[in-house]
Every structure is written in C-alpha cells, then in structure tokens.
Amino acid sequence: MFTYDVAIIGAGAGGLNTAMEAASMGKKVVLVDKYKPGGECTWAGCIPSKALIQLADEIHTAKKYANIEVNGKQIMSKVRQLIKKAHQAEAVEQLQAAGIEYIQGDAKINDQHSIRVVDEIITAENIVIATGSRALIPSIKGIDQVNYLTNENVFQLEDLPKNLIVVGGGPIGVELTQAFQRLGVQVKLVEMADRILFREEKGLAHQLQSTLEEEGVQLYTSAKALEVKQANGTTTLTINRNDVLEHIEAEQILFALGRKPNIENIGLDDLGICYTNKGIEVNEYNETSVRNIYAVGDAVGPYLFSHMAGFQAKQAMRHAFLEMHTPIEQHPAWCTFTHPELARTGMTENEAREKFQDKFNVYTVSYSELDRAVVDQQTTGEAKIICDQDGFIIGASILGERACELLGELQLMKTFHIPFRKLKDTIHPYPSYSEILTQLSNVATE
Ligand SMILES: Cc1cc2nc3c(=O)[nH]c(=O)nc-3n(C[C@H](O)[C@H](O)[C@H](O)COP(=O)(O)OP(=O)(O)OC[C@H]3O[C@@H](n4cnc5c(N)ncnc54)[C@H](O)[C@@H]3O)c2cc1C
Ligand SMILES: NC(=O)c1ccc[n+]([C@@H]2O[C@H](COP(=O)([O-])OP(=O)(O)OC[C@H]3O[C@@H](n4cnc5c(N)ncnc54)[C@H](O)[C@@H]3O)[C@@H](O)[C@H]2O)c1
C-alpha cells in the first residue's frame, strides 16, 4: 500500500491545481516544492507583471491630466506587496485547510510509485511532475560577464532604471516594455522577427506595435542580439538589424527570449520517461510514457500559461481517479495584457489558410465602430472571427480594450460548438464593449 494517492513535485499553477483537484475528490495528497507554494506565476510571472502593468496604466492615465512624478521605489515595493497578497490564497495553511500536505524540499522521482525528497522516500499510487520552466538564457557573446535581468529578478529591482533594453518581443518582453515605458523608463525593444508577437494575427500585432511606438518605445525589429558588454554602468548590446551592425545602450538589459523546461535531475532517465528539449512527452490524459506518472504545465507545454497548466491538472487527476474518463476537449486561449489587450483562441487567418485553403470565412469589426470605444477614446483595435464553412468558430483574435473578457463569450461558443450566427440573437447592453460581438455577428449574417 502507498502512503498517498498522489505525490506532486512542484507547487506552481500546475501542482497547486493538481493538488486541489485531487483533494476535492477526497484523495490523500502530498505537494512538494523547493520554495513556498505559488511557483513562477505568483512570484515572478503573471502576478507581478499584471501588478506592474496596472500601476503603469494608472500613471499613464494620470499623466494625461497632470504632471506626475513617478516614485520608482514605491512602484516596485507595491508590486512586491501585491505578490504577497496574492500568495495568501495558496499559503501552506490554506493548503492544509483543503486537506493537502505540503513539504518544502528538492524532490525527484525514485521509482514508479515513490519520490525522494532530500533523504525521505514518499510512496504514492500516482506521481505528478509539475516542475515548470525557467527563462532561456541566450548564448550570445559576453553574456557571462554582465549583469542582466530576466523575469526572475526584474520584480526585485529596488528602483526603476532610467532606460532599459528589452530583448525579445514575445508576451513577456512586450508586456514589460509597455509597463516600464509608461512608468517613465525609456525602453528599447529588440526583436529578431519582423514584428512583435509574431505568432499572433499580423495586422493586430502591427497595430499594437504602432501604439508602443506612439508611447515612445524605440523599436528594433528584424534585429538579432549578438553581443553584450557592460562598462561604467552602461550596457551595450550589439545587434544585427537587416545585416547592419548597430550598438544600443541602456542602464539595464532584460532578456525575454522564451523558456526552458525544468526537467533535469528529476529522475526522468532512470525511469525511461520520454522527453524532448521542449518538455516531457504526455498522452491526451497528460500521462507520461510511464503509467501512473503524469506531467502538467510548463514542464510539458506547448501552451505555457497558468490556465493551461490548470486544465492539464484536471485532465490528469480525472484520468487517475475517475472511472471511464474520456479526455476533455482542449481549446487553448490566451491574452497578452498590453493596452490595448490582445486576446486569442484557435487559429489565426494564416493558420486557417494553411489548413482549409480558402474554405473559411473571416469577419472583422473595428473598435472605431463602437460607441463605447469612441466615448472612452479607446478606438485602437479590431475583433476578428474566423469561421469554418458550417459557421462554427475556428479562431478569434481581439485587439482592444477589455479584449480578454470579450473573448470569454467566443471561447464558450467555440468550446460548446455553438454556431456563430446564434450570437446575433443575443442581447448585449448598450453602450458596452460587448456590442462588438453583436456587430460581428451582424457582419457574419449579412
Ligand atoms: C513574466 C511572466 C508573465 C506571465 N504572465 C502570464 C499570464 O498573464 N497568464 C498566464 O496564464 N500565464 C502567464 N505566464 C506563464 C505562467 O507563469 C506559467 O505558465 C505558469 O507559472 C506555469 O506553471 P507550472 O506549475 O507549470 O510551473 P511553475 O509555476 O514554474 O512552478 C514549478 C514549481 O516547481 C518547483 N520545482 C521545480 N523543480 C523542483 C524539484 N526538483 N523539487 C521541488 N520543487 C521543484 C519550482 O520551485 C516551482 O515552484 C507568465 C510568465 C512570465 C514569466
Ligand atoms: N499574458 C500571458 O499570458 C503571458 C505573459 C508573459 C508570458 N507568457 C508565457 O511565457 C512564454 C514565454 O514568453 P517569452 O516572451 O519569453 O517567449 P517567446 O518565445 O514568446 O518570445 C521570445 C521572442 O524573442 C525573440 N528572440 C529570440 N532570440 C532573439 C535574439 N537573439 N535577438 C532578438 N530577438 C530574439 C523571438 O523571435 C521571440 O519573438 C510565452 O510563450 C507565454 O506562454 C504568457
């Protein structure tokens, strides 16, 4: 017999959700992490970045009407206060109250039914790996000789720098670029693709790019970071932009160049658990190549988001503990929390073209056609829906105010296979941003 029904390594979004799901089924759960519960999302990801973005937004709005002096120390200290506040919901006492045992320590898999935490062996019927990911550090010349920022230390800054180079125009780079720029830091954003957020709808990413430039961000696209140096408090980055070498300078440099899964030294090889350099391989139930051992979250991918880690946790625990469980259909969705926000579910237009050639329909409505956006002076943006030939949503992207909340209704329709035309008969209050959905359905049924 085993001591626990499930032992979980890692108490980030993946591990916490796994523990809660199993505990809610009445299972005996042990959750292990090297640090306090919360993982990256709480300590160095979603929570601090969204706190910084919100503070920057308030300052940005206030600056339109008054001369505001930004107190960088106060801002950074407030971010850390908010981290602590968010952590309260997942503190050890809260976990214990939910019936979850928490152990702090470095863990690895021992065999199919046990893990080792330092010197202690813990047995469990099922094991879940939720060890997350870390910032990918580029092998650019000089990196070993300089101090640099990543998401892991940027929120620990005591004060705001005067200027900052951000390398990487993915969601981390773009969100932090706008937040710091709005707080008065002169940001230079370097991205090797020809635009920021290259996985998103091209036209919408371009509109967001223009907003960043209007707000004063110095943008270097088609620019690859090659070498970094530091002297006398100045960091110099050499970039290759369209085959021309340029040197750009700032007080600090932040790298946001993607992620690396935390899968070393946790016993995968000893047990023959399959993985690639992108993460642990799992089936549709998030079970690894070894029975009763599951993996969830950033250690698996490919969608590196807290809510996707939560979804995978549910999938794994239902498979482990419920009889006759079929996999829940997955509809990944996400949002980049810039202003305006960029929200997305399913395919982009280009992805639809690759899969369906011209056998799909695209409907768009601009925010400038929306009364609420006009009075709020928030007319930048567009909602774009892609439907298959039967009128079901296969993709949606919204750039604009409250885009992430607006996506919810479309996500529901996509998940439950509700034809898009049905939205036409759904009443949306006037004047709200949700009216853009009514307008879209009118366009689709014209
Ligand atoms: C700046 C930034 C902003 C982000 N914003 C968002 C957002 O707005 N929305 C969103 O959905 N996602 C966002 N993300 C992504 C999100 O943070 C991750 O997808 C999520 O945290 C992954 O959860 P996880 O549980 O897989 O891993 P993690 O949160 O990384 O947790 C893994 C845990 O495992 C522990 N661990 C690792 N190895 C061991 C071991 N051997 N023994 C014991 N413990 C171990 C670690 O200490 C850690 O606590 C953001 C990420 C960053 C960096
Ligand atoms: N709002 C959210 O949900 C949110 C926010 C932040 C992060 N995240 C998650 O974190 C993950 C990682 O984000 P990220 O932004 O670090 O990674 P990313 O992979 O999305 O973006 C990295 C960017 O760096 C560029 N790049 C790589 N090497 C370069 C070089 N040498 N010079 C210049 N540019 C270079 C790439 O072209 C790419 O655009 C995301 O995929 C997302 O899943 C989510």
Side-chain angles (χ1 to χ4, degrees):
M1 285 312 287
F2 309 113
T3 311
Y4 295 95
D5 294 313
V6 58
I8 305 156
I9 307 180
L16 284 165
N17 276 287
T18 307
M20 288 302 206
E21 184 74 14
S24 74
M25 294 175 182
K27 300 297 167 188
K28 202 160 177 234
V29 184
V30 62
L31 178 62
V32 186
D33 200 295
K34 293 179 195 179
Y35 308 112
K36 286 184 195 169
E40 177 170 76
C41 185
T42 300
W43 301 105
C46 328
I47 296 296
S49 61
K50 266 77 256 179
L52 191 78
I53 287 167
Q54 176 61 21
L55 294 167
D57 187 37
E58 287 171 18
I59 299 274
H60 179 74
T61 307
K63 273 184 180 171
K64 285 186 190 163
Y65 303 102
N67 286 328
I68 301 281
E69 196 143 312
V70 179
N71 183 330
K73 286 191 176 134
Q74 226 171 41
I75 297 280
M76 296 314 294
S77 149
K78 184 75 187 170
V79 168
R80 289 190 284 274
Q81 268 174 36
L82 291 166
I83 294 177
K84 283 193 187 137
K85 196 155 191 192
H87 170 66
Q88 283 167 12
E90 66 215 5
V92 174
E93 306 76 59
Q94 300 294 328
L95 298 178
Q96 283 166 347
I100 297 160
E101 196 167 321
Y102 188 79
I103 298 178
Q104 190 161 340
D106 203 327
K108 67 182 285 187
I109 298 166
N110 186 54
D111 64 27
Q112 198 178 355
H113 291 290
S114 70
I115 62 170
R116 175 185 288 275
V117 185
V118 195
D119 293 328
E120 192 188 351
I121 301 287
I122 294 170
T123 64
E125 187 186 353
N126 298 282
I127 294 170
V128 179
I129 306 166
T131 47
S133 68
R134 58 188 184 276
L136 185 87
I137 301 305
S139 55
I140 69 171
K141 203 172 159 193
I143 188 106
D144 299 337
Q145 273 102 56
V146 299
N147 294 318
Y148 57 85
L149 300 168
T150 66
N151 69 294
E152 276 148 40
N153 55 359
V154 67
F155 303 110
Q156 300 308 320
L157 284 176
E158 280 304 314
D159 204 346
L160 295 169
K162 278 198 179 54
N163 40 45
L164 172 71
I165 299 169
V166 174
V167 193
I172 296 180
V174 168
E175 286 184 353
L176 293 182
T177 288
Q178 189 180 41
F180 280 118
Q181 180 71 34
R182 286 180 160 200
L183 289 166
V185 179
Q186 174 59 62
V187 183
K188 300 174 181 182
L189 175 60
V190 176
E191 166 55 52
M192 72 181 179
D194 63 358
R195 62 186 155 97
I196 59 165
L197 301 175
F198 72 90
R199 295 184 198 94
E200 305 297 343
E201 281 287 355
K202 196 172 181 172
L204 303 188
H206 275 296
Q207 285 187 47
L208 183 56
Q209 200 165 292
S210 302
T211 301
L212 294 185
E213 286 184 301
E214 280 159 23
E215 291 184 11
V217 172
Q218 293 174 12
L219 209 60
Y220 300 79
T221 48
S222 304
K224 188 165 183 193
L226 294 182
E227 183 176 2
V228 61
K229 284 185 183 156
Q230 239 159 23
N232 310 321
T234 301
T235 303
T236 307
L237 181 75
T238 305
I239 57 172
N240 177 340
R241 180 154 61 149
N242 295 316
D243 289 332
V244 178
L245 290 190
E246 292 176 47
H247 306 284
I248 55 175
E249 291 184 346
E251 197 181 310
Q252 300 256 22
I253 186 162
L254 179 139
F255 289 104
L257 298 172
R259 314 287 307 169
K260 205 170 161 34
N262 294 325
I263 53 177
E264 305 87 356
N265 308 318
I266 54 168
L268 299 186
D269 292 326
D270 296 344
L271 251 87
I273 296 173
C274 298
Y275 61 90
T276 67
N277 62 356
K278 290 199 157 55
I280 299 170
E281 292 180 1
V282 293
N283 64 14
E284 69 271 41
Y285 299 104
N286 277 85
E287 196 171 26
T288 67
S289 49
V290 174
R291 236 181 132 226
N292 294 101
I293 301 187
Y294 296 83
V296 302
D298 280 16
V300 176
Y303 300 101
L304 310 181
F305 301 99
S306 291
H307 50 274
M308 294 309 293
F311 175 86
Q312 294 178 345
K314 216 176 263 173
Q315 194 83 275
M317 289 303 88
R318 290 188 188 179
H319 183 252
F321 298 122
L322 299 184
E323 275 177 33
M324 309 283 290
H325 169 61
T326 49
I328 321 163
E329 199 183 339
Q330 181 177 296
H331 292 266
W334 58 90
C335 180
T336 304
F337 293 91
T338 41
H339 286 93
E341 295 176 349
L342 180 50
R344 157 101 176 269
T345 179
M347 295 182 190
T348 61
E349 188 174 346
N350 276 345
E351 287 167 357
R353 186 154 294 112
E354 265 175 36
K355 186 154 182 207
F356 298 106
Q357 291 77 50
D358 59 352
K359 296 185 182 61
F360 63 93
N361 295 304
V362 181
Y363 311 109
T364 59
V365 171
S366 160
Y367 264 61
S368 60
E369 292 170 50
L370 202 61
D371 281 359
R372 183 56 193 263
V374 171
V375 294
D376 285 358
Q377 302 173 68
Q378 302 288 350
T379 49
T380 303
E382 180 180 305
K384 181 168 185 174
I385 310 286
I386 303 164
C387 290
D388 65 13
Q389 285 193 314
D390 299 321
F392 292 98
I393 298 171
I394 53 172
S397 291
I398 308 175
L399 175 75
E401 187 70 10
R402 299 181 213 186
C404 193
E405 316 304 333
L406 292 180
L407 190 77
E409 207 167 326
L410 300 172
Q411 176 71 347
L412 191 78
M413 298 187 85
K414 183 170 179 288
T415 306
F416 292 98
H417 303 286
I418 301 168
F420 183 53
R421 69 182 146 71
K422 293 250 182 195
L423 203 58
K424 197 176 161 69
D425 302 325
T426 312
I427 296 171
H428 293 97
Y430 178 86
S432 71
Y433 287 96
S434 66
E435 277 195 301
I436 203 162
L437 302 176
T438 315
Q439 293 191 18
L440 269 169
S441 56
N442 287 341
V443 173
T445 49
E446 260 167 16

